[in-house]
Coordinates of all heavy atoms in Angstrom, one line a residue:
Chain M
I31 N -45.6 10.7 9.8 CA -45.4 11.7 8.8 C -46.7 12.0 8.1 O -47.6 11.1 8.1 CB -44.3 11.2 7.8 CG1 -43.9 12.4 6.9 CG2 -44.8 10.0 6.9 CD1 -42.6 12.0 6.2
N32 N -46.8 13.2 7.6 CA -48.1 13.6 7.0 C -48.4 13.0 5.7 O -49.1 13.7 4.8 CB -48.2 15.2 7.0 CG -47.1 15.8 6.1 OD1 -46.2 15.1 5.7 ND2 -47.1 17.1 5.9
N33 N -47.9 11.9 5.4 CA -48.2 11.3 4.1 C -48.4 9.8 4.4 O -47.5 9.1 4.7 CB -47.1 11.5 3.1 CG -47.4 10.7 1.8 OD1 -47.8 9.6 1.8 ND2 -47.2 11.5 0.7
H90 N -31.2 5.9 0.9 CA -30.5 6.7 -0.1 C -29.6 5.8 -0.9 O -29.4 6.1 -2.1 CB -29.7 7.8 0.7 CG -30.5 9.0 1.0 ND1 -30.1 10.1 1.7 CD2 -31.9 9.2 0.8 CE1 -31.1 11.0 1.8 NE2 -32.2 10.4 1.4
D91 N -29.1 4.7 -0.4 CA -28.3 3.8 -1.2 C -29.2 3.2 -2.4 O -28.6 3.1 -3.4 CB -27.9 2.6 -0.4 CG -26.7 2.9 0.5 OD1 -26.2 4.1 0.4 OD2 -26.2 2.0 1.2
I94 N -29.1 5.4 -5.3 CA -27.9 5.3 -6.1 C -27.8 4.0 -6.8 O -27.4 4.0 -8.0 CB -26.7 5.3 -5.1 CG1 -26.8 6.4 -4.0 CG2 -25.3 5.3 -5.9 CD1 -26.8 7.7 -4.4
K112 N -37.5 8.3 -7.2 CA -36.3 8.9 -6.6 C -36.6 10.1 -5.7 O -36.0 10.3 -4.6 CB -35.4 9.5 -7.7 CG -34.3 8.6 -8.2 CD -33.3 9.3 -9.1 CE -32.6 8.4 -10.1 NZ -31.9 7.2 -9.6
D113 N -37.6 11.0 -6.1 CA -37.8 12.2 -5.5 C -38.3 12.0 -4.0 O -37.7 12.6 -3.1 CB -38.8 13.1 -6.2 CG -38.2 13.5 -7.6 OD1 -37.1 13.1 -7.9 OD2 -39.0 14.1 -8.4
T114 N -39.3 11.2 -3.9 CA -39.8 10.9 -2.6 C -38.7 10.2 -1.7 O -38.6 10.5 -0.5 CB -41.1 10.0 -2.6 OG1 -42.0 10.8 -3.5 CG2 -41.6 9.8 -1.3
Y117 N -36.4 12.6 0.1 CA -37.0 13.3 1.3 C -37.3 12.2 2.4 O -37.1 12.5 3.6 CB -38.2 14.1 1.0 CG -38.0 15.3 0.2 CD1 -38.9 15.7 -0.8 CD2 -36.9 16.1 0.5 CE1 -38.6 16.9 -1.5 CE2 -36.7 17.3 -0.2 CZ -37.6 17.7 -1.2 OH -37.4 18.8 -1.9
D120 N -34.1 11.6 4.2 CA -33.9 12.8 5.0 C -34.8 12.7 6.3 O -34.3 13.0 7.4 CB -34.2 14.1 4.3 CG -33.2 14.3 3.2 OD1 -32.2 13.6 3.1 OD2 -33.4 15.3 2.4
Y123 N -33.4 10.3 8.7 CA -32.3 10.9 9.4 C -32.8 11.8 10.6 O -32.2 11.8 11.6 CB -31.5 11.8 8.5 CG -30.4 11.1 7.7 CD1 -30.4 11.2 6.3 CD2 -29.4 10.4 8.3 CE1 -29.4 10.5 5.5 CE2 -28.5 9.7 7.6 CZ -28.5 9.8 6.2 OH -27.5 9.1 5.5
T124 N -33.9 12.5 10.3 CA -34.4 13.4 11.4 C -34.9 12.6 12.6 O -34.7 12.9 13.7 CB -35.6 14.1 10.9 OG1 -35.3 14.7 9.5 CG2 -36.0 15.4 11.7
F127 N -31.9 11.6 14.6 CA -31.5 12.8 15.4 C -32.3 12.9 16.7 O -31.9 13.2 17.8 CB -31.5 14.1 14.7 CG -30.4 14.0 13.7 CD1 -30.7 14.3 12.4 CD2 -29.1 13.8 14.0 CE1 -29.8 14.2 11.4 CE2 -28.1 13.7 13.0 CZ -28.4 13.9 11.7
E128 N -33.6 12.8 16.4 CA -34.6 12.9 17.5 C -34.3 12.0 18.6 O -34.3 12.3 19.8 CB -36.0 12.7 16.9 CG -36.9 13.8 17.2 CD -38.3 13.4 16.6 OE1 -38.6 12.2 16.4 OE2 -39.1 14.4 16.3
I131 N -31.2 12.9 20.4 CA -31.3 14.0 21.3 C -32.1 13.7 22.6 O -31.8 14.1 23.6 CB -32.0 15.2 20.5 CG1 -31.0 15.7 19.5 CG2 -32.4 16.3 21.4 CD1 -31.7 16.5 18.3
N135 N -28.4 13.9 24.9 CA -28.1 15.3 25.0 C -27.2 15.5 26.2 O -27.4 15.0 27.4 CB -29.5 16.0 25.3 CG -29.4 17.5 24.8 OD1 -28.3 18.0 24.6 ND2 -30.5 18.1 24.7
G136 N -26.1 16.2 26.0 CA -25.2 16.5 27.1 C -24.0 15.5 27.2 O -23.1 15.7 28.0
T137 N -24.1 14.4 26.4 CA -23.0 13.4 26.4 C -22.1 13.6 25.3 O -22.5 14.3 24.2 CB -23.5 12.0 26.4 OG1 -23.9 11.7 25.0 CG2 -24.7 11.8 27.3
L140 N -23.2 12.5 21.2 CA -23.8 13.3 20.1 C -22.7 13.5 19.0 O -22.9 13.3 17.8 CB -24.4 14.6 20.5 CG -25.8 14.5 21.2 CD1 -26.2 15.8 21.7 CD2 -26.8 13.8 20.3
A144 N -22.2 12.2 15.1 CA -22.0 13.0 14.0 C -20.7 12.6 13.2 O -20.7 12.5 12.0 CB -21.9 14.5 14.4
M147 N -21.4 9.3 11.4 CA -22.3 9.6 10.2 C -21.4 10.2 9.1 O -21.6 9.7 7.9 CB -23.4 10.6 10.6 CG -24.4 10.8 9.5 SD -25.7 11.9 10.1 CE -26.3 12.4 8.5
K148 N -20.5 11.0 9.4 CA -19.6 11.6 8.4 C -18.7 10.4 7.8 O -18.5 10.4 6.6 CB -18.7 12.6 9.1 CG -18.3 13.8 8.3 CD -17.3 14.6 9.1 CE -17.5 16.1 8.9 NZ -16.5 16.8 9.7
L151 N -20.7 8.4 5.4 CA -20.9 9.0 4.1 C -19.6 9.1 3.3 O -19.6 9.0 2.1 CB -21.4 10.5 4.3 CG -22.9 10.5 4.7 CD1 -23.3 11.8 5.3 CD2 -23.8 10.0 3.6
Q152 N -18.5 9.3 4.0 CA -17.2 9.4 3.2 C -16.9 8.0 2.7 O -16.4 7.9 1.5 CB -16.1 9.8 4.2 CG -16.3 11.2 4.8 CD -15.1 12.0 4.7 OE1 -14.0 11.7 4.2 NE2 -15.2 13.3 5.2
E154 N -19.2 5.8 1.6 CA -20.1 5.7 0.5 C -19.5 6.5 -0.7 O -19.5 6.1 -1.8 CB -21.5 6.3 0.8 CG -22.2 5.7 2.0 CD -23.0 4.4 1.5 OE1 -22.8 3.9 0.4 OE2 -23.7 3.9 2.3
L155 N -19.0 7.7 -0.5 CA -18.5 8.5 -1.5 C -17.2 7.9 -2.1 O -17.0 7.9 -3.3 CB -18.2 10.0 -1.0 CG -19.5 10.9 -0.9 CD1 -19.2 12.1 -0.1 CD2 -19.9 11.3 -2.4
T156 N -16.4 7.3 -1.2 CA -15.2 6.7 -1.7 C -15.6 5.5 -2.7 O -15.0 5.4 -3.7 CB -14.4 6.1 -0.5 OG1 -14.0 7.2 0.4 CG2 -13.1 5.4 -1.0
M158 N -18.3 5.3 -4.3 CA -18.9 5.8 -5.5 C -17.8 6.3 -6.5 O -17.9 6.1 -7.7 CB -19.9 6.9 -5.2 CG -20.9 7.0 -6.3 SD -22.4 7.8 -5.6 CE -21.8 9.4 -5.2
Q159 N -16.9 7.0 -5.9 CA -15.9 7.6 -6.8 C -14.9 6.6 -7.3 O -14.2 6.8 -8.3 CB -15.2 8.8 -6.1 CG -14.1 8.4 -5.1 CD -13.7 9.7 -4.3 OE1 -14.2 10.0 -3.3 NE2 -12.7 10.4 -4.9
Chain E
I46 N -14.0 17.1 2.9 CA -14.5 15.8 2.6 C -13.4 15.1 1.7 O -12.6 15.8 1.0 CB -15.8 15.9 1.9 CG1 -16.4 14.5 1.6 CG2 -15.7 16.6 0.5 CD1 -17.9 14.6 1.3
N47 N -13.4 13.8 1.7 CA -12.3 13.1 1.0 C -12.5 13.0 -0.5 O -12.1 12.0 -1.2 CB -12.2 11.7 1.5 CG -13.4 10.8 1.3 OD1 -14.5 11.4 1.0 ND2 -13.3 9.5 1.6
N48 N -13.2 14.0 -1.1 CA -13.4 14.1 -2.5 C -13.1 15.5 -2.9 O -14.0 16.4 -2.7 CB -14.7 13.6 -3.0 CG -15.0 13.6 -4.5 OD1 -14.7 14.7 -5.1 ND2 -15.4 12.5 -5.1
H105 N -30.8 18.8 -2.1 CA -31.8 17.8 -2.3 C -33.0 18.3 -3.1 O -33.5 17.6 -4.0 CB -32.2 17.2 -0.9 CG -31.2 16.1 -0.4 ND1 -31.3 15.4 0.8 CD2 -30.0 15.7 -0.9 CE1 -30.3 14.6 0.9 NE2 -29.4 14.8 -0.1
D106 N -33.3 19.5 -2.9 CA -34.4 20.1 -3.7 C -34.0 20.1 -5.2 O -34.8 19.9 -6.1 CB -34.7 21.6 -3.4 CG -35.4 21.8 -2.1 OD1 -35.8 20.7 -1.5 OD2 -35.6 22.9 -1.7
I109 N -34.8 17.0 -6.9 CA -36.2 16.8 -7.2 C -36.6 17.6 -8.3 O -37.4 17.2 -9.2 CB -37.1 17.3 -5.9 CG1 -36.6 16.7 -4.6 CG2 -38.5 17.0 -6.1 CD1 -36.5 15.3 -4.4
K127 N -27.2 12.9 -10.0 CA -28.2 12.7 -8.8 C -27.6 11.9 -7.7 O -27.7 12.2 -6.5 CB -29.4 11.8 -9.3 CG -30.6 12.6 -9.7 CD -31.7 11.6 -9.8 CE -32.8 12.0 -10.8 NZ -33.4 13.3 -10.7
D128 N -26.8 10.9 -8.0 CA -26.2 10.0 -7.0 C -25.3 10.8 -6.0 O -25.5 10.7 -4.8 CB -25.4 8.9 -7.6 CG -26.3 8.0 -8.5 OD1 -27.6 8.3 -8.5 OD2 -25.9 7.1 -9.2
T129 N -24.3 11.5 -6.6 CA -23.5 12.3 -5.7 C -24.3 13.3 -4.9 O -24.0 13.6 -3.7 CB -22.3 12.9 -6.5 OG1 -21.7 11.9 -7.2 CG2 -21.4 13.7 -5.7
Y132 N -25.7 12.0 -1.6 CA -24.7 11.9 -0.5 C -24.1 13.3 -0.1 O -23.9 13.5 1.0 CB -23.6 11.0 -0.9 CG -23.9 9.5 -0.9 CD1 -23.4 8.7 -1.9 CD2 -24.9 8.9 0.0 CE1 -23.8 7.3 -2.0 CE2 -25.2 7.6 -0.1 CZ -24.6 6.8 -1.1 OH -25.0 5.5 -1.1
D135 N -26.6 14.8 2.1 CA -26.5 14.2 3.4 C -25.3 14.6 4.2 O -25.3 14.8 5.4 CB -26.3 12.5 3.2 CG -27.6 11.9 2.7 OD1 -28.6 12.7 2.7 OD2 -27.6 10.7 2.4
Y138 N -25.9 17.9 5.8 CA -26.7 17.7 7.0 C -25.8 17.3 8.2 O -26.0 17.8 9.3 CB -27.7 16.5 6.8 CG -29.0 16.9 6.1 CD1 -29.4 16.4 5.0 CD2 -29.8 17.9 6.7 CE1 -30.6 16.7 4.4 CE2 -31.0 18.2 6.2 CZ -31.4 17.6 5.0 OH -32.6 18.0 4.4
T139 N -24.8 16.5 7.9 CA -23.9 16.0 9.0 C -23.1 17.3 9.6 O -23.0 17.4 10.8 CB -22.9 15.1 8.5 OG1 -23.6 14.1 7.7 CG2 -22.2 14.3 9.5
F142 N -25.4 19.1 11.8 CA -25.4 18.5 13.2 C -24.2 18.8 13.9 O -24.2 19.0 15.1 CB -25.6 17.0 13.1 CG -26.9 16.7 12.5 CD1 -27.0 15.9 11.3 CD2 -28.1 17.2 13.0 CE1 -28.3 15.7 10.7 CE2 -29.3 16.9 12.5 CZ -29.4 16.1 11.4
E143 N -23.0 18.7 13.3 CA -21.8 18.9 14.0 C -21.8 20.3 14.6 O -21.5 20.5 15.8 CB -20.6 18.8 13.0 CG -19.6 17.9 13.3 CD -18.6 17.8 12.2 OE1 -18.3 18.9 11.5 OE2 -17.8 16.8 12.1
I146 N -24.2 20.4 17.6 CA -23.6 19.7 18.7 C -22.5 20.5 19.4 O -22.4 20.6 20.6 CB -23.2 18.3 18.3 CG1 -24.4 17.5 17.9 CG2 -22.4 17.6 19.4 CD1 -24.1 16.3 17.0
N150 N -25.2 21.5 22.7 CA -25.3 20.3 23.5 C -25.8 20.7 24.9 O -25.3 21.5 25.6 CB -23.9 19.6 23.5 CG -24.1 18.1 23.8 OD1 -25.2 17.7 24.2 ND2 -23.0 17.4 23.6
G151 N -26.8 20.0 25.3 CA -27.4 20.2 26.6 C -28.5 21.3 26.7 O -29.1 21.5 27.7
T152 N -28.7 22.0 25.6 CA -29.8 23.0 25.6 C -31.1 22.3 24.9 O -31.0 21.3 24.1 CB -29.5 24.2 24.7 OG1 -29.6 24.0 23.4 CG2 -28.1 24.6 25.0
L155 N -31.4 21.6 20.6 CA -31.2 20.5 19.7 C -32.5 19.8 19.3 O -32.7 19.6 18.1 CB -30.3 19.4 20.6 CG -28.8 19.7 20.6 CD1 -28.2 18.6 21.4 CD2 -28.2 19.9 19.3
A159 N -34.4 19.6 15.6 CA -34.9 18.3 15.0 C -36.3 18.5 14.6 O -36.8 18.1 13.5 CB -34.8 17.1 16.0
M162 N -36.4 20.6 11.5 CA -36.0 19.9 10.3 C -37.2 19.0 9.8 O -37.4 18.9 8.6 CB -34.8 19.1 10.7 CG -34.2 18.4 9.5 SD -32.6 17.5 10.0 CE -32.5 16.3 8.7
K163 N -37.9 18.5 10.8 CA -39.0 17.6 10.4 C -40.1 18.4 9.7 O -40.7 18.0 8.8 CB -39.6 17.0 11.8 CG -40.1 15.6 11.7 CD -40.7 15.2 12.9 CE -40.4 13.9 13.4 NZ -41.1 13.6 14.7
L166 N -39.1 19.1 6.2 CA -39.3 18.0 5.3 C -40.8 17.7 5.1 O -41.2 17.4 3.9 CB -38.6 16.8 5.9 CG -37.1 16.8 5.8 CD1 -36.5 15.8 6.7 CD2 -36.6 16.7 4.3
Q167 N -41.6 17.8 6.1 CA -43.0 17.7 5.9 C -43.6 18.7 4.9 O -44.4 18.3 4.1 CB -43.8 17.8 7.2 CG -43.4 16.7 8.2 CD -44.4 15.9 8.9 OE1 -45.6 16.1 8.6 NE2 -44.1 15.0 9.8
E169 N -41.9 20.1 2.5 CA -41.4 19.6 1.1 C -42.3 18.5 0.6 O -42.7 18.5 -0.6 CB -40.0 19.2 1.2 CG -39.0 20.2 1.7 CD -38.5 21.1 0.6 OE1 -39.1 21.1 -0.5 OE2 -37.5 21.8 0.8
L170 N -42.6 17.5 1.4 CA -43.4 16.4 1.0 C -44.8 16.8 0.8 O -45.4 16.3 -0.3 CB -43.4 15.3 2.2 CG -42.2 14.4 2.2 CD1 -42.1 13.6 3.5 CD2 -42.2 13.4 1.0
T171 N -45.4 17.8 1.5 CA -46.8 18.3 1.2 C -46.8 18.9 -0.2 O -47.6 18.6 -1.0 CB -47.2 19.3 2.3 OG1 -47.1 18.7 3.5 CG2 -48.5 19.9 2.0
M173 N -44.7 18.3 -2.6 CA -44.5 17.3 -3.6 C -45.7 16.4 -3.9 O -46.1 16.1 -5.0 CB -43.3 16.3 -3.2 CG -42.7 15.7 -4.4 SD -41.1 15.1 -3.9 CE -41.4 13.8 -2.9
Q174 N -46.5 16.1 -2.8 CA -47.6 15.3 -3.0 C -48.8 16.1 -3.6 O -49.8 15.6 -4.1 CB -48.0 14.5 -1.7 CG -48.7 15.3 -0.7 CD -48.8 14.6 0.6 OE1 -47.9 14.7 1.5 NE2 -49.9 13.8 0.8

Side-chain angles (χ1 to χ4, degrees):
Chain M
I31 191 165
N32 61 352
N33 179 310
H90 281 180
D91 283 359
I94 313 301
K112 261 192 206 315
D113 297 356
T114 301
Y117 289 141
D120 290 353
Y123 275 122
T124 315
F127 293 122
E128 237 180 22
I131 291 161
N135 205 347
T137 78
L140 283 178
M147 189 176 158
K148 217 188 219 178
L151 287 167
Q152 299 229 2
E154 301 276 12
L155 280 165
T156 301
M158 203 158 70
Q159 75 191 95
Chain E
I46 191 166
N47 62 350
N48 177 311
H105 281 180
D106 283 358
I109 314 298
K127 263 192 205 315
D128 296 355
T129 302
Y132 290 141
D135 289 353
Y138 275 122
T139 314
F142 293 120
E143 236 179 24
I146 290 160
N150 204 346
T152 79
L155 284 179
M162 189 174 157
K163 217 188 221 180
L166 288 167
Q167 299 230 1
E169 302 276 12
L170 280 165
T171 301
M173 204 157 71
Q174 77 191 93

